[in-house]
Amino acid sequence: MNLYSQKNMGIKGLVESGYLNSIPPEYVFPSNLNDLEVEEVPTVDFSQLTAGTPDERSKAIQVIGKACREWGFFMVINHSMPRRLMDEMLNVGERFFDLAEEEKQDHAGKELFDPIRCGTGFNNGLGNVFLWRDYLKVHVHPHFHAPHKPADFRETSEEYCKKARDVAEELLKGISKSLGQEENYIHKKMDVESGSQLLVMNLYPPCPRPELVMGMPPHSDHGILTLLMQNDVCGLQILHNGKWVPVNPPPYSFLVNTGDHMEILTNGRYESVVHQVVVNSNATRMTIATGHGPPLGAIISPAAELVDSENHPPKYQGMKYRDYIELQQTNQLEGKSCLDRVRI
Ligand code: OGA
Ligand code: NI
């Protein structure tokens, strides 16, 4: 079997084939791992935000506001997603990636906006960027989709995605308040009710030379907010004041980051955060992300309330969300290069 037919299998297939004697050169990624910095990332206590005393609530909103201003990232603890459901999602995800390659591909469309896609690396239309990552991407809102295997995928993911939306909406209320607006401000501006939600499962198998490869290169997310959970293996790093900060979340927490459309809507007050994923040599990492965005047909521009022509003129021009995603996914996934295209 030659290496190229192996690659079509995804990185999990390649690793498990036993044919991997050295890292194939196209997987080698320029390293930026010298600039690591250990810093404590902000933590939001969700229960204080939603059910605390007025004092606790306003403190939680302050924490969120500071985290959005200074980090674009925070961890969320004591949230409303049942631990049982997080375990079930990781379990069903693992069984999806364990399916035979043909069975996985059986579910998958080829086009960018097909409701279910699975693959490896990052297929940007210019060719495949080889990453130490296999993925499944499913559009789950406003129309719910699910692969038909494993049989319990649909039921588990439907419940999970609904509850993730609830968590995201509560966080968006806190973020709206932190901007000095009423709690449904972002919800209305972004039409979250009929907004798009994308479920992404990422699998990062162990790599014999982790320092040579990348799970995901530096990028920002295109939507408003991303909620991410992981099995107990770390690997996410966020770019903060020019340094890469590794994230070591408490078990069952959510890792939350603001996306490009938060930056656009807030006219740059809350910038999206650049993040990347590194892999390791001994354990498989799995993450489950839900990306929350406006409807695909919406055009989001800086909000009138957050723009004033003298001191804060609009910094971004509106682009249909669907076109923005296409722009991001068909170019090199590199930092915030996509946002630069709509910067005024
Ligand atoms: C993503 C992402 C991070 C991770 O899917 O956009 O950044 O840790 N994932 O898997
Ligand atoms: Ni991301």
Side-chain angles (χ1 to χ4, degrees):
M1 200 172 333
N2 76 25
L3 209 52
Y4 283 89
S5 62
Q6 289 285 333
K7 270 174 207 151
N8 295 333
M9 282 182 181
I11 196 65
K12 178 173 189 283
L14 181 60
V15 169
E16 289 175 359
S17 69
Y19 281 79
L20 193 68
N21 301 321
S22 60
I23 307 299
E26 44 291 52
Y27 284 89
V28 174
F29 207 91
S31 170
N32 54 18
L33 299 181
N34 301 329
D35 294 334
L36 278 191
E37 178 116 322
V38 177
E39 253 198 86
E40 198 167 328
V41 300
T43 300
V44 171
D45 186 330
F46 187 85
S47 66
Q48 294 194 343
L49 182 69
T50 55
T53 62
D55 194 38
E56 285 170 340
R57 216 175 289 191
S58 79
K59 283 215 182 90
I61 290 166
Q62 275 178 28
V63 174
I64 288 193
K66 192 166 171 356
C68 288
R69 260 190 326 275
E70 295 177 3
W71 287 80
F73 180 88
F74 50 89
M75 298 188 289
V76 176
I77 56 167
N78 298 329
H79 52 70
S80 53
M81 179 71 78
R83 292 185 169 198
R84 163 208 49 99
L85 194 51
M86 296 174 99
D87 287 336
E88 283 174 17
M89 261 318 257
L90 286 165
N91 180 282
V92 82
E94 199 174 313
R95 284 183 285 120
F96 176 83
F97 286 113
D98 278 344
L99 292 173
E101 204 56 34
E102 312 78 63
E103 284 182 298
K104 272 184 266 190
Q105 289 306 333
D106 193 32
H107 303 93
K110 297 275 170 277
E111 304 298 323
L112 180 56
F113 290 100
D114 284 339
I116 304 176
R117 285 197 301 139
C118 77
T120 187
F122 175 72
N123 198 319
N124 65 7
L126 305 170
N128 206 354
V129 176
F130 294 102
L131 301 170
W132 219 258
R133 166 215 189 205
D134 291 338
Y135 66 84
L136 168 69
K137 293 187 182 185
V138 190
H139 288 259
V140 291
H141 197 265
H143 304 291
F144 180 78
H145 299 271
H148 50 270
K149 279 185 193 171
D152 52 339
F153 195 107
R154 169 171 287 268
E155 195 185 341
T156 303
S157 62
E158 193 161 16
E159 188 189 1
Y160 180 87
C161 292
K162 164 86 186 61
K163 292 206 155 81
R165 218 158 49 243
D166 293 342
V167 174
E169 291 195 17
E170 289 299 333
L171 294 174
L172 288 176
K173 285 183 190 172
I175 295 174
S176 297
K177 297 280 270 183
S178 78
L179 287 164
Q181 305 293 332
E182 58 93 14
E183 66 176 18
N184 292 314
Y185 181 75
I186 295 176
H187 189 102
K188 287 184 193 149
K189 289 278 176 193
M190 295 275 197
D191 193 6
V192 170
E193 197 73 30
S194 35
S196 64
Q197 184 186 10
L198 187 65
L199 169 68
V200 183
M201 290 187 168
N202 297 303
L203 189 84
Y204 308 97
C207 175
R209 298 286 305 278
E211 72 285 3
L212 294 182
V213 306
M214 209 61 179
M216 275 187 102
H219 70 281
S220 60
D221 294 348
H222 47 65
I224 311 171
L225 212 58
T226 303
L227 267 56
L228 184 109
M229 64 130 158
Q230 62 178 29
N231 63 356
D232 48 11
V233 182
C234 293
L236 180 69
Q237 300 180 339
I238 52 183
L239 190 61
H240 181 64
N241 296 335
K243 294 267 163 71
W244 288 106
V245 179
V247 182
N248 301 307
Y252 295 107
S253 57
F254 274 118
L255 314 180
V256 178
N257 65 271
T258 52
D260 292 348
H261 272 71
M262 180 72 85
E263 179 164 339
I264 294 170
L265 181 79
T266 63
N267 200 30
R269 278 190 214 199
Y270 291 173
E271 293 183 351
S272 62
V273 67
V274 174
H275 51 287
Q276 66 179 14
V277 178
V278 297
V279 299
N280 70 80
S281 57
N282 49 54
T284 295
R285 176 164 189 259
M286 184 151 86
T287 63
I288 295 176
T290 53
H292 303 260
L296 289 179
I299 298 175
I300 303 299
S301 307
E305 295 77 4
L306 304 174
V307 166
D308 75 80
S309 45
E310 246 174 60
N311 298 323
H312 301 282
K315 291 187 186 165
Y316 312 88
Q317 66 198 53
M319 179 188 283
K320 198 186 271 187
Y321 186 42
R322 188 189 171 90
D323 296 340
Y324 190 89
I325 295 176
E326 192 164 344
L327 190 65
Q328 192 207 38
Q329 299 283 314
T330 51
N331 285 278
Q332 223 146 13
L333 191 64
E334 196 187 315
K336 291 168 79 160
S337 55
C338 188
L339 197 60
D340 290 340
R341 306 270 194 109
V342 296
R343 227 182 273 276
I344 293 174

